[in-house]
Amino acid sequence: MAGETIRTEAVCLDIRPWSRTSHIVTWLTPVGKVATVVKGAVRPKSAFLGQYDLNYTCDILYYARAKGELHALRDCVPLDLRESLRGNYRALALAGYFRRLVGELAPSGPDCRPWYELLSSSLTPQTSPLELQTSNFFTPSSLVLFELRVLELAGLKPDFSSYDRQADWSPFSIETGTFSDEAGRCVRLSREVAEWLSRPERPAKNPQIPLDAAWVIGVFYKFHLDCPSDARRAVLGMIS
């Protein structure tokens, strides 16, 4: 791979200054994360001006150096600017959390493709900028749906289908990700929350249900994964 020139589609995860005129841009590609140096990125006559930004999907061409080194970006053409996210701080905050979560957990190699597809689709609300103001893109429901999909890709998806349909509350094991009466770390889930988590794609009957569900998923994440809990808490506060 080192010494090759590689062209690929990529989502812009992060942009950091490298010098007064250059950037380090981190991308998620179908085969993993790539960090590139964009020399002269902010110079007035730079060919890269306006060609990349956070949440963009771009066609990039870069010169691959040795593993662990920064690669040199040669060309960048935006494919999807995701303009519907602009002008809405809640949508941008949620999109930022999605990028950070996938960026920290996505593997390298071919197994990264479903992670790439998840992030790409999740950053593309099927609505106009005006409709986005009242859509469900930036709600606790959308956050929970995304996190459950991430857990599924990581092989850690909990099973919420076996809750007690007769009881008001059921003990959910944080360790095993199942409803269990066995000793261990458990939280109590109401029947309404357990029912919604078993099929979270359905609209919740009560807006408090996704919030309670988000708390449960947060506890599960904290136990099993080293994830940005402070950022999650801040984003959840913005979209609640």
Side-chain angles (χ1 to χ4, degrees), residues 5-11 25-29 34 36 48 51-52 57-62 73-79:
T5 300
I6 299 173
R7 181 178 295 277
T8 183
E9 189 176 285
V11 174
V25 183
T26 303
W27 309 86
L28 184 72
T29 78
V34 171
T36 62
F48 292 106
Q51 299 303 295
Y52 63 87
T57 292
C58 299
D59 180 81
I60 63 172
L61 181 71
Y62 66 94
L73 192 68
R74 300 300 192 200
D75 190 29
C76 176
V77 178
L79 302 176

Side-chain angles (χ1 to χ4, degrees), residues 8-215:
T8 183
E9 189 176 285
V11 174
C12 182
L13 297 178
D14 184 57
I15 302 171
R16 291 176 290 145
W18 190 56
S19 67
R20 287 187 299 174
T21 60
S22 302
H23 284 159
I24 293 176
V25 183
T26 303
W27 309 86
L28 184 72
T29 78
V31 293
K33 286 197 299 182
V34 171
T36 62
V37 174
V38 189
K39 293 185 178 180
V42 297
R43 288 176 180 164
K45 295 184 179 181
S46 172
F48 292 106
L49 282 176
Q51 299 303 295
Y52 63 87
D53 203 349
L54 298 176
N55 303 316
Y56 279 26
T57 292
C58 299
D59 180 81
I60 63 172
L61 181 71
Y62 66 94
Y63 178 79
R65 296 196 172 100
K67 186 177 180 181
E69 294 186 13
L70 293 172
H71 310 299
L73 192 68
R74 300 300 192 200
D75 190 29
C76 176
V77 178
L79 302 176
D80 187 349
L81 279 60
R82 297 192 168 86
E83 294 179 286
S84 61
L85 297 181
R86 297 181 182 181
N88 191 304
Y89 75 93
R90 289 181 294 177
L92 286 172
L94 189 59
Y97 175 68
F98 288 173
R99 294 195 320 270
R100 182 172 177 181
L101 188 60
V102 170
E104 291 190 6
L105 298 177
S108 297
D111 289 343
C112 186
R113 178 167 288 278
W115 294 79
Y116 176 80
E117 293 173 350
L118 172 64
L119 182 61
S120 295
S121 61
S122 298
L123 292 177
T124 311
Q126 300 301 313
T127 184
S128 69
L130 181 60
E131 292 171 333
L132 189 63
Q133 302 296 325
T134 56
S135 75
N136 64 355
F137 178 74
F138 42 79
T139 65
S141 296
S142 57
L143 182 143
V144 170
L145 281 167
F146 183 84
E147 290 183 326
L148 287 174
R149 181 65 177 135
V150 166
L151 288 171
E152 182 178 358
L153 291 177
L156 293 167
K157 185 177 181 180
D159 179 13
F160 292 105
S161 62
S162 58
Y163 66 95
D164 188 342
R165 288 163 173 76
Q166 306 302 318
D168 292 336
W169 300 85
S170 296
F172 178 76
S173 172
I174 296 300
E175 298 178 18
T176 65
T178 60
F179 288 97
S180 173
D181 291 324
E182 298 178 5
R185 185 172 182 182
C186 291
V187 294
R188 296 176 69 212
L189 265 67
S190 70
R191 183 170 59 245
E192 292 80 10
V193 172
E195 180 183 16
W196 184 75
L197 278 169
S198 67
R199 294 178 61 189
E201 67 281 355
R202 299 177 302 170
K205 300 176 182 178
N206 184 326
Q208 185 61 39
I209 291 176
L211 284 173
D212 292 343
W215 175 80

